[in-house]
Amino acid sequence: MVNQKKRLGDILIERGLITEETLKKALTAQEKTGEKLGELLLKMGLIKEEDLYSALSEIYNVPYVNLEEIVIDSDVVKLIPEHICRRYKIIPIKLNGDKILLAMSNPVNIYALDDVRIITGRDVEPVLASEGQINQALDRIYTIQKGLEETLLDIAPGEEETETTVEVLEDEAPVVRLVNLTITQAVQEGASDIHIEPTENEVKVRFRVDGVLYDVMSPPKKIFPTLVARIKILANMDIAERRLPQDGRFRVTSQGKIIDFRVSSLPTIHGEKIVLRLLDRSAPLIGLEKLGFTEDVLRNFEWLIQRPYGMILVTGPTGSGKTTTLYSALAKINTPEKNIITVEDPVEYQFNRINQVQVNAKIGLTFANGLRSILRQDPDIIMIGEIRDKETAEIAVQSALTGHLVLSTIHTNDSAGAIARLMDMGIEPFLISSSVIGILAQRLARRICSRCKVPKQATEEEIKVLKLSENDIIYEGKGCEVCRHTGYRGRIGIFELLMVDDEIRAMIVDKVPANVIRDTAVKKGMRTLWEDAKLKVKNGITTYSEILRTVYAGGL
């Protein structure tokens, strides 16, 4: 591995970084101090750290990486205990296929390489990095958890709750740190929500990651009023009002990301429960092809969003990824020749060349009022965050009938149910049949963690429901540090796309029940949510237990 023919001094001279005379002086000094030549040259200010490690990479025959210029996957770092990283001066950067890309200050340390292989069960691909940068990266990654622990230690134990004022809050530095560190950890772990819940004797802080809540910490109950007050001040809420629900919002920059927080307080018998929803404005938009569509459904959906007019509805429960799908669709059709306007509550992500309107009910800017104004702005495409009432539905339908492409969401269990929901709102069937061109129902299921994914023996129920043969293989996650021992990491969309053709339109006009429309669509080739979910289990993307949790299996 080591290039025995190359010496550090010779390489530095070849690169014109030092002269032979300088090298002789350094070697003379080295005889007295016993220090490594490279460290001595750095200390003398004769070369830069980057120059040294670039030369060493030639000797060790491994690439040099500048850790300040790359993004380190914090989940991969957790595969190796901190004390091992600090002992050997190493840090995992990312997974490169099945191998761990490992930054090392000494890439020929066979003890470090062997220990990492044993601990992780993976092959190692070493790269060279400076010891200082490795230490800085380890400090940065492990600071959050240590900070939380130290902050909780700073909060003295006590029994009685106290009334909180702004003056008291300003002196409660540990509580301010606790809020900041909680937010930082939530951002790092990719949480969508933070729940702060008081019980009779304690406080629970939970994060929702990949749609599932899990406990993070339990701060002392005595600090709870101060903790709530701190969050309320950030969100511009009334700290003196504890009897009524409140809403607020604030924005922070954490780890280079711009995060918007929507805050909700709810009075309970043990105090106010606080929920913070995280919206990462700087997150890259997911392309339609990465949401989990099968090829045929993606092809049909892309055909729908390219239509010049008509209404496309995306339906599903809260948290099923409807807004992400709509944003991905807008990104696909966002071109300079189109005027795209949205009315949302709230505006979750910002786009170039898209005019986004934020609903504000306090001043009378509702979905319906915003839509009326939008129609006077010569739009080609309109996106409505949600159809909640008859007025909004009527304007959306009229917009689709007058030459606009309208995209919106509606809360129903499946695609055919959206038609019945519009009828319940008072929209005439002939207007629905003339305006709606497609309805997409969706859910989100957790993906099996790719780091600990293993084949498993299917149970009798799985064989029966999934219609597996004896040779078919399904998978599960056995649990690892990366997925917090859940066996899952990330989520995948499960979809059901109802294409409204002439036969379906006639059925809508005749007020045919939703289940009959659904059965007709299935005969025409529509894959239901349950069938799409089962397909994703067979393809090794998710598990049978996960689709039972997220998708209604009507026939079981």
Side-chain angles (χ1 to χ4, degrees), residues 498-513:
L498 173 61
M499 304 288 285
V500 181
D501 60 12
D502 290 340
E503 185 178 353
I504 301 291
R505 287 192 188 95
M507 297 176 78
I508 295 171
V509 172
D510 292 339
K511 298 185 180 180
V512 172

Side-chain angles (χ1 to χ4, degrees), residues 203-492:
V203 179
K204 285 287 183 189
V205 177
R206 298 194 289 171
F207 291 168
R208 187 181 294 279
V209 179
D210 292 338
V212 177
L213 283 167
Y214 71 96
D215 290 338
V216 178
M217 70 181 103
S218 297
K221 185 71 183 283
K222 77 165 286 214
I223 68 154
F224 180 66
T226 313
L227 183 63
V228 171
R230 171 61 180 166
I231 293 170
K232 281 186 169 183
I233 286 172
L234 286 172
N236 198 25
M237 296 158 71
D238 184 355
I239 65 169
E241 179 55 75
R242 299 182 179 88
R243 301 164 299 169
L244 294 173
Q246 293 186 64
D247 294 305
R249 61 187 60 200
F250 64 94
R251 178 181 292 181
V252 300
T253 300
S254 177
Q255 300 180 356
K257 299 177 179 179
I258 301 171
I259 311 292
D260 279 351
F261 286 83
R262 282 187 284 164
V263 184
S264 170
S265 71
L266 179 72
T268 72
I269 57 173
H270 298 301
E272 292 177 278
K273 173 175 175 174
I274 302 291
V275 175
L276 298 91
R277 165 64 57 89
L278 285 71
L279 302 170
D280 183 358
R281 288 189 177 276
S282 56
L285 195 66
I286 302 172
L288 278 177
E289 65 282 352
K290 295 180 181 178
L291 295 179
F293 286 106
T294 53
E295 285 186 23
D296 56 334
V297 176
L298 177 60
R299 185 169 58 251
N300 287 335
F301 188 67
E302 287 185 336
W303 182 86
L304 284 174
I305 63 176
Q306 298 289 348
R307 297 307 89 207
Y309 56 85
M311 183 156 68
I312 302 167
L313 295 173
V314 181
T315 181
T318 302
S320 59
K322 300 186 298 296
T323 303
T324 299
T325 299
L326 285 183
Y327 279 147
S328 299
L330 287 181
K332 183 81 175 178
I333 57 180
N334 183 13
T335 55
E337 62 268 17
K338 296 218 177 84
N339 178 20
I340 303 175
I341 308 180
T342 75
V343 52
E344 307 171 57
D345 184 21
V347 173
E348 295 187 15
Y349 300 94
Q350 295 180 7
F351 290 85
N352 291 327
R353 289 204 308 264
I354 291 183
N355 309 282
Q356 296 171 272
V357 178
Q358 170 78 53
V359 166
N360 189 342
K362 291 180 181 178
I363 60 171
L365 182 52
T366 62
F367 276 114
N369 291 338
L371 269 174
R372 288 193 186 91
S373 300
I374 282 174
L375 291 172
R376 294 191 287 271
Q377 289 282 319
D378 185 32
D380 296 296
I381 299 165
I382 300 168
M383 195 270 266
I384 308 164
E386 183 184 344
I387 294 178
R388 297 175 180 173
D389 51 50
K390 180 182 179 181
E391 190 178 13
T392 306
E394 285 177 338
I395 302 170
V397 167
Q398 290 300 328
S399 301
L401 293 174
T402 53
H404 304 94
L405 182 65
V406 179
L407 292 82
S408 188
T409 71
I410 192 167
H411 284 287
T412 60
N413 289 327
D414 62 6
S415 54
I419 296 167
R421 180 81 181 97
L422 288 173
M423 289 183 185
D424 289 343
M425 287 181 177
I427 307 301
E428 291 293 336
F430 75 91
L431 292 175
I432 298 171
S433 68
S434 302
S435 58
V436 178
I437 59 174
I439 305 168
L440 180 75
Q442 70 177 75
R443 300 289 188 275
L444 284 177
R446 289 180 293 172
R447 286 179 179 269
I448 299 171
C449 174
S450 60
R451 314 295 197 272
C452 59
K453 182 176 178 179
V454 292
K456 63 158 281 189
Q457 182 67 44
T459 64
E460 289 184 12
E461 182 182 332
E462 288 169 339
I463 291 171
K464 179 183 176 182
V465 175
L466 300 174
K467 298 178 180 175
L468 301 173
S469 68
E470 292 182 3
N471 297 325
D472 287 336
I473 298 173
I474 59 175
Y475 294 84
E476 66 179 355
K478 63 182 180 180
C480 63
E481 290 293 330
V482 171
C483 62
R484 295 175 298 278
H485 299 285
T486 62
Y488 300 99
R489 187 161 182 261
R491 288 191 286 180
I492 185 79

Side-chain angles (χ1 to χ4, degrees), residues 49 52-54 56-57 60 62-68 70 72 88-91 93 102-107 126-135 137:
E49 188 177 72
L52 169 62
Y53 282 93
S54 176
L56 287 173
S57 75
Y60 290 132
V62 296
Y64 162 70
V65 294
N66 184 346
L67 295 182
E68 294 178 354
I70 63 172
I72 296 173
Y88 291 124
K89 309 300 181 188
I90 60 175
I91 186 168
I93 297 174
L102 187 70
M104 309 177 68
S105 61
N106 179 9
V127 293
L128 180 68
S130 79
E131 184 176 321
Q133 287 189 354
I134 290 172
N135 286 332

